Amino acid sequence: MSSEATEERVLAAVAERRELVNDAIDEDLPLAPPERLYEAARYLLKAGGKRLRPTVSLLAAEAIADVEPLSTDYRSFPALEGDDIDVMAAAVSLEVIQSFTLIHDDIMDDDDLRRGVPAVHKAYDTETAILAGDTLYSKAFEIMTETGARPENGLGAMRMLASTCTQICEGQALDVQFESETEVLPEEYLDMVEHKTAVLYGAAAAIPAILLGADDDVVEALYNYGIDSGRAFQIQDDVLDLTVLSDKLGKQRGSDLVEDKETLITLHARQQGVDVDGLVDGERIEDVSEDEIDVAVERLRAVGSIEYARQTARDLTEQSKRRLEVLPDNEARQLLCDIADYLVTRGY
Amino acid sequence: MSSEATEERVLAAVAERRELVNDAIDEDLPLAPPERLYEAARYLLKAGGKRLRPTVSLLAAEAIADVEPLSTDYRSFPALEGDDIDVMAAAVSLEVIQSFTLIHDDIMDDDDLRRGVPAVHKAYDTETAILAGDTLYSKAFEIMTETGARPENGLGAMRMLASTCTQICEGQALDVQFESETEVLPEEYLDMVEHKTAVLYGAAAAIPAILLGADDDVVEALYNYGIDSGRAFQIQDDVLDLTVLSDKLGKQRGSDLVEDKETLITLHARQQGVDVDGLVDGERIEDVSEDEIDVAVERLRAVGSIEYARQTARDLTEQSKRRLEVLPDNEARQLLCDIADYLVTRGY
């Protein structure tokens, strides 16, 4: 299938569930007193977002239960043992965690904008943003306790949620640490990416399996599907930062190079003997011309670093799709494969 | 019993358990890679602390199980249904949550010192402190999943932990909000204190009851014991800020008055018609003389506001002790009563 058709199917699957997810966020995280706190906590969630991770969760449930997509109420979804499970609550919980990490990351990186609106610490203030993030954190755990799953499954979901959050923090710490390290191995970079980004995709895919009472090998396969495609997603992000023309990217391309951010591409180039630190001159993206970026990208392309990253992402995507072979062959499973493809074929 | 004897018994009970708690913190929150992150996360926990909340948890377990204090391994404590429960993990989890809230509070209040050492955001930096707090947050949930309790009880403990964290955030937001409000009712103040401080005592007392499989009325009684004594503790803190001489308090007394921080005392005084905002002149504690504070305290005493706060704290303490009458009459229960007394009789 062409990548345009895949993208179309994925965007339709996401769009079909977005309103359901948004309504559920409003229900599970209502505006409550103290209102300023909850306004700040909800601000970024209300500002938009594709809802890709919740969509992964909902499709995973449908694939496991082998039901027609969108044929079943996500709030009372049939578990394999016959109980009714609120898989939507799990999907919301993970989106809430994602929002918490963005709020705190933006404070740490002092980023002013997010999803086209001021970051929470700019729209409010740093104190409120820290507290809003902290509130989302515990709210996500509260919401995850309310799925109606059997206690052992509910506890298993909580365990995965907690370890996922720990790993995200570890990944963020590694990312910061790598900025001041001169030699990072590609494996170390991939490990950082796994912690910082991929584990949340892993949890989004695996937690519904835990809640529905699926076998351990299904839980593990879905987790690894998320890890592999999450890693591929991040690598593709790094490729896009260099290869997509600035007007399409919505920001000047090459920002990672200017900011001396290590990616799989720069790490590979270093191994080929490229003086990565000397590729572009200037501390801020405004000081670097498009031409200079063109030359740098050409150099990275010439030594095979961009293709190496692309190929690594493609290999991870193929691996992620093979993970799903433990599931029944159905439309939801196919959509999960499409999402994996979409994460590395999307243009920007 | 005299308050000196009570204090002695409480400090002995805490001291007897402190090393066990500290060892358990090291076991459950080891120094792991990325090491700088975990160093920062462990920094405040290693800097000391009475371990009063963990002691409450351990004594609650002993009181419920009706065993001789310190006669049973806290790592494999007999549940009422016969399983072995790691109540120490629950105690550690709550201490870890307490540490997370202190780290983020110090950033929000820009406090430089904590427990006699630089606050984490001063010893490291703000980014690391935010991330260290976030790591402790999820670690506390991870640790709480490892108690070995029956899944329904384990999940119940997680639910209480999550809602406790949410309430602490709400309390902190209310505290900030009250600084800019002109009229706060004493009930609203007590509600804020309950959220910000008392719920963690409530959870410390009640979570062991949940894990051990105690009846709902026992869980509720222990929770309310913690709420009542936690509220009393905070009110006593406000009294001490005004009434203890500066050299004994370790900081100049009256800081709450200078910083226009509302307390039960100032709110009562306002109701008596006192111009609280005009009591002391000056924005910073260094600008205000001891004499000026003496006059202000005398005024608050004359209209009965200090005695009103003291009496409210005493009433809450008596109520908290009566809550424990559902438990077997044993030494651990007596020590929990002593702790409630100690929280309002401690000199500073």
Side-chain angles (χ1 to χ4, degrees), chain B residues 64-65 77-85 148-154 208-215:
Chain B
I64 296 161
F77 199 88
L80 301 181
E81 298 118 341
D83 325 9
D84 277 350
I85 309 290
R150 295 198 172 179
E152 62 269 31
N153 299 336
I210 296 173
L211 293 172
L212 296 180
D215 289 341

mmCIF file of all heavy atoms in Angstrom, chain B residues 64-65 77-85 148-154 208-215:
data_model
loop_
_atom_site.group_PDB
_atom_site.id
_atom_site.type_symbol
_atom_site.label_atom_id
_atom_site.label_comp_id
_atom_site.label_asym_id
_atom_site.label_seq_id
_atom_site.Cartn_x
_atom_site.Cartn_y
_atom_site.Cartn_z
ATOM 1 N N ILE B 64 -2.882 -2.621 64.536
ATOM 2 C CA ILE B 64 -3.947 -3.411 63.897
ATOM 3 C C ILE B 64 -3.719 -4.908 64.118
ATOM 4 O O ILE B 64 -4.636 -5.653 64.478
ATOM 5 C CB ILE B 64 -3.979 -3.133 62.372
ATOM 6 C CG1 ILE B 64 -4.339 -1.681 62.094
ATOM 7 C CG2 ILE B 64 -4.975 -4.074 61.676
ATOM 8 C CD1 ILE B 64 -3.943 -1.218 60.699
ATOM 9 N N ALA B 65 -2.480 -5.350 63.880
ATOM 10 C CA ALA B 65 -2.169 -6.781 64.009
ATOM 11 C C ALA B 65 -2.087 -7.199 65.472
ATOM 12 O O ALA B 65 -1.995 -8.392 65.768
ATOM 13 C CB ALA B 65 -0.860 -7.089 63.295
ATOM 14 N N PHE B 77 5.239 -8.793 57.185
ATOM 15 C CA PHE B 77 4.357 -8.533 58.330
ATOM 16 C C PHE B 77 3.056 -9.304 58.133
ATOM 17 O O PHE B 77 2.509 -9.313 57.023
ATOM 18 C CB PHE B 77 4.092 -7.021 58.375
ATOM 19 C CG PHE B 77 3.602 -6.545 59.700
ATOM 20 C CD1 PHE B 77 4.507 -6.177 60.693
ATOM 21 C CD2 PHE B 77 2.248 -6.472 59.959
ATOM 22 C CE1 PHE B 77 4.052 -5.725 61.923
ATOM 23 C CE2 PHE B 77 1.795 -6.021 61.188
ATOM 24 C CZ PHE B 77 2.694 -5.651 62.175
ATOM 25 N N PRO B 78 2.563 -9.980 59.176
ATOM 26 C CA PRO B 78 1.370 -10.830 58.971
ATOM 27 C C PRO B 78 0.100 -10.029 58.704
ATOM 28 O O PRO B 78 -0.330 -9.244 59.530
ATOM 29 C CB PRO B 78 1.255 -11.589 60.291
ATOM 30 C CG PRO B 78 1.935 -10.718 61.291
ATOM 31 C CD PRO B 78 3.036 -10.006 60.559
ATOM 32 N N ALA B 79 -0.492 -10.230 57.510
ATOM 33 C CA ALA B 79 -1.793 -9.616 57.225
ATOM 34 C C ALA B 79 -2.874 -10.368 57.985
ATOM 35 O O ALA B 79 -2.662 -11.484 58.470
ATOM 36 C CB ALA B 79 -2.075 -9.672 55.726
ATOM 37 N N LEU B 80 -4.041 -9.729 58.086
ATOM 38 C CA LEU B 80 -5.132 -10.365 58.830
ATOM 39 C C LEU B 80 -5.607 -11.624 58.114
ATOM 40 O O LEU B 80 -6.166 -12.517 58.726
ATOM 41 C CB LEU B 80 -6.272 -9.364 59.017
ATOM 42 C CG LEU B 80 -5.839 -8.092 59.764
ATOM 43 C CD1 LEU B 80 -7.013 -7.139 59.940
ATOM 44 C CD2 LEU B 80 -5.232 -8.410 61.129
ATOM 45 N N GLU B 81 -5.389 -11.698 56.786
ATOM 46 C CA GLU B 81 -5.779 -12.906 56.041
ATOM 47 C C GLU B 81 -4.668 -13.946 56.013
ATOM 48 O O GLU B 81 -4.817 -14.973 55.341
ATOM 49 C CB GLU B 81 -6.142 -12.550 54.592
ATOM 50 C CG GLU B 81 -7.329 -11.603 54.465
ATOM 51 C CD GLU B 81 -6.957 -10.282 53.809
ATOM 52 O OE1 GLU B 81 -5.751 -9.950 53.774
ATOM 53 O OE2 GLU B 81 -7.876 -9.599 53.337
ATOM 54 N N GLY B 82 -3.525 -13.686 56.664
ATOM 55 C CA GLY B 82 -2.485 -14.701 56.733
ATOM 56 C C GLY B 82 -1.330 -14.500 55.767
ATOM 57 O O GLY B 82 -0.313 -15.178 55.900
ATOM 58 N N ASP B 83 -1.467 -13.583 54.778
ATOM 59 C CA ASP B 83 -0.348 -13.352 53.864
ATOM 60 C C ASP B 83 0.733 -12.531 54.580
ATOM 61 O O ASP B 83 0.492 -11.957 55.631
ATOM 62 C CB ASP B 83 -0.764 -12.541 52.627
ATOM 63 C CG ASP B 83 -2.163 -12.849 52.160
ATOM 64 O OD1 ASP B 83 -2.901 -13.559 52.868
ATOM 65 O OD2 ASP B 83 -2.531 -12.352 51.072
ATOM 66 N N ASP B 84 1.900 -12.469 53.946
ATOM 67 C CA ASP B 84 2.976 -11.620 54.463
ATOM 68 C C ASP B 84 3.018 -10.321 53.676
ATOM 69 O O ASP B 84 3.076 -10.340 52.460
ATOM 70 C CB ASP B 84 4.330 -12.329 54.301
ATOM 71 C CG ASP B 84 4.568 -13.299 55.443
ATOM 72 O OD1 ASP B 84 3.794 -13.258 56.423
ATOM 73 O OD2 ASP B 84 5.514 -14.081 55.338
ATOM 74 N N ILE B 85 3.013 -9.215 54.383
ATOM 75 C CA ILE B 85 2.964 -7.897 53.737
ATOM 76 C C ILE B 85 4.237 -7.127 54.047
ATOM 77 O O ILE B 85 4.711 -7.141 55.186
ATOM 78 C CB ILE B 85 1.760 -7.083 54.269
ATOM 79 C CG1 ILE B 85 0.470 -7.877 54.187
ATOM 80 C CG2 ILE B 85 1.648 -5.745 53.536
ATOM 81 C CD1 ILE B 85 -0.029 -8.107 52.809
ATOM 82 N N GLY B 148 3.322 -6.919 48.257
ATOM 83 C CA GLY B 148 2.915 -8.320 48.378
ATOM 84 C C GLY B 148 1.493 -8.490 48.903
ATOM 85 O O GLY B 148 1.059 -9.615 49.195
ATOM 86 N N ALA B 149 0.754 -7.386 49.025
ATOM 87 C CA ALA B 149 -0.625 -7.467 49.517
ATOM 88 C C ALA B 149 -1.515 -8.117 48.463
ATOM 89 O O ALA B 149 -1.156 -8.185 47.288
ATOM 90 C CB ALA B 149 -1.145 -6.074 49.849
ATOM 91 N N ARG B 150 -2.666 -8.621 48.905
ATOM 92 C CA ARG B 150 -3.638 -9.124 47.939
ATOM 93 C C ARG B 150 -3.945 -8.020 46.918
ATOM 94 O O ARG B 150 -4.029 -6.846 47.300
ATOM 95 C CB ARG B 150 -4.933 -9.514 48.661
ATOM 96 C CG ARG B 150 -4.696 -10.674 49.592
ATOM 97 C CD ARG B 150 -5.982 -11.355 49.981
ATOM 98 N NE ARG B 150 -5.636 -12.552 50.722
ATOM 99 C CZ ARG B 150 -6.505 -13.388 51.246
ATOM 100 N NH1 ARG B 150 -7.802 -13.157 51.105
ATOM 101 N NH2 ARG B 150 -6.099 -14.458 51.902
ATOM 102 N N PRO B 151 -4.145 -8.390 45.651
ATOM 103 C CA PRO B 151 -4.311 -7.365 44.610
ATOM 104 C C PRO B 151 -5.372 -6.323 44.940
ATOM 105 O O PRO B 151 -5.147 -5.121 44.717
ATOM 106 C CB PRO B 151 -4.704 -8.187 43.383
ATOM 107 C CG PRO B 151 -4.051 -9.508 43.593
ATOM 108 C CD PRO B 151 -4.114 -9.756 45.081
ATOM 109 N N GLU B 152 -6.522 -6.727 45.505
ATOM 110 C CA GLU B 152 -7.557 -5.724 45.784
ATOM 111 C C GLU B 152 -7.070 -4.739 46.847
ATOM 112 O O GLU B 152 -7.389 -3.550 46.792
ATOM 113 C CB GLU B 152 -8.899 -6.365 46.178
ATOM 114 C CG GLU B 152 -8.897 -7.208 47.432
ATOM 115 C CD GLU B 152 -8.591 -8.682 47.160
ATOM 116 O OE1 GLU B 152 -7.839 -8.976 46.199
ATOM 117 O OE2 GLU B 152 -9.106 -9.533 47.918
ATOM 118 N N ASN B 153 -6.279 -5.238 47.808
ATOM 119 C CA ASN B 153 -5.742 -4.341 48.829
ATOM 120 C C ASN B 153 -4.612 -3.487 48.267
ATOM 121 O O ASN B 153 -4.504 -2.295 48.582
ATOM 122 C CB ASN B 153 -5.258 -5.148 50.034
ATOM 123 C CG ASN B 153 -6.394 -5.933 50.693
ATOM 124 O OD1 ASN B 153 -7.563 -5.567 50.558
ATOM 125 N ND2 ASN B 153 -6.072 -7.015 51.371
ATOM 126 N N GLY B 154 -3.784 -4.095 47.444
ATOM 127 C CA GLY B 154 -2.709 -3.337 46.798
ATOM 128 C C GLY B 154 -3.256 -2.208 45.953
ATOM 129 O O GLY B 154 -2.754 -1.080 45.981
ATOM 130 N N PRO B 208 -1.473 1.148 55.731
ATOM 131 C CA PRO B 208 -1.181 -0.175 56.315
ATOM 132 C C PRO B 208 -2.458 -0.964 56.629
ATOM 133 O O PRO B 208 -2.490 -2.185 56.456
ATOM 134 C CB PRO B 208 -0.411 0.173 57.595
ATOM 135 C CG PRO B 208 0.206 1.499 57.318
ATOM 136 C CD PRO B 208 -0.797 2.227 56.462
ATOM 137 N N ALA B 209 -3.497 -0.260 57.050
ATOM 138 C CA ALA B 209 -4.768 -0.940 57.346
ATOM 139 C C ALA B 209 -5.350 -1.558 56.078
ATOM 140 O O ALA B 209 -5.839 -2.695 56.087
ATOM 141 C CB ALA B 209 -5.754 0.046 57.968
ATOM 142 N N ILE B 210 -5.284 -0.829 54.978
ATOM 143 C CA ILE B 210 -5.770 -1.369 53.699
ATOM 144 C C ILE B 210 -4.957 -2.595 53.310
ATOM 145 O O ILE B 210 -5.501 -3.641 52.951
ATOM 146 C CB ILE B 210 -5.666 -0.293 52.588
ATOM 147 C CG1 ILE B 210 -6.574 0.901 52.903
ATOM 148 C CG2 ILE B 210 -6.018 -0.892 51.228
ATOM 149 C CD1 ILE B 210 -6.402 2.070 51.937
ATOM 150 N N LEU B 211 -3.647 -2.472 53.389
ATOM 151 C CA LEU B 211 -2.764 -3.569 52.955
ATOM 152 C C LEU B 211 -2.953 -4.821 53.803
ATOM 153 O O LEU B 211 -2.890 -5.945 53.296
ATOM 154 C CB LEU B 211 -1.300 -3.126 53.028
ATOM 155 C CG LEU B 211 -0.892 -2.027 52.042
ATOM 156 C CD1 LEU B 211 0.523 -1.539 52.348
ATOM 157 C CD2 LEU B 211 -0.990 -2.527 50.594
ATOM 158 N N LEU B 212 -3.184 -4.622 55.099
ATOM 159 C CA LEU B 212 -3.336 -5.785 55.991
ATOM 160 C C LEU B 212 -4.727 -6.396 55.891
ATOM 161 O O LEU B 212 -4.987 -7.438 56.467
ATOM 162 C CB LEU B 212 -3.040 -5.393 57.443
ATOM 163 C CG LEU B 212 -1.599 -4.946 57.742
ATOM 164 C CD1 LEU B 212 -1.451 -4.595 59.221
ATOM 165 C CD2 LEU B 212 -0.586 -6.027 57.369
ATOM 166 N N GLY B 213 -5.624 -5.726 55.174
ATOM 167 C CA GLY B 213 -6.970 -6.276 55.018
ATOM 168 C C GLY B 213 -7.897 -5.958 56.168
ATOM 169 O O GLY B 213 -8.841 -6.711 56.439
ATOM 170 N N ALA B 214 -7.660 -4.840 56.853
ATOM 171 C CA ALA B 214 -8.534 -4.446 57.967
ATOM 172 C C ALA B 214 -9.910 -4.030 57.433
ATOM 173 O O ALA B 214 -10.061 -3.713 56.246
ATOM 174 C CB ALA B 214 -7.897 -3.285 58.742
ATOM 175 N N ASP B 215 -10.886 -4.047 58.320
ATOM 176 C CA ASP B 215 -12.242 -3.624 57.929
ATOM 177 C C ASP B 215 -12.253 -2.140 57.557
ATOM 178 O O ASP B 215 -11.426 -1.366 58.033
ATOM 179 C CB ASP B 215 -13.213 -3.840 59.102
ATOM 180 C CG ASP B 215 -13.464 -5.315 59.343
ATOM 181 O OD1 ASP B 215 -13.207 -6.127 58.420
ATOM 182 O OD2 ASP B 215 -13.878 -5.657 60.467
#
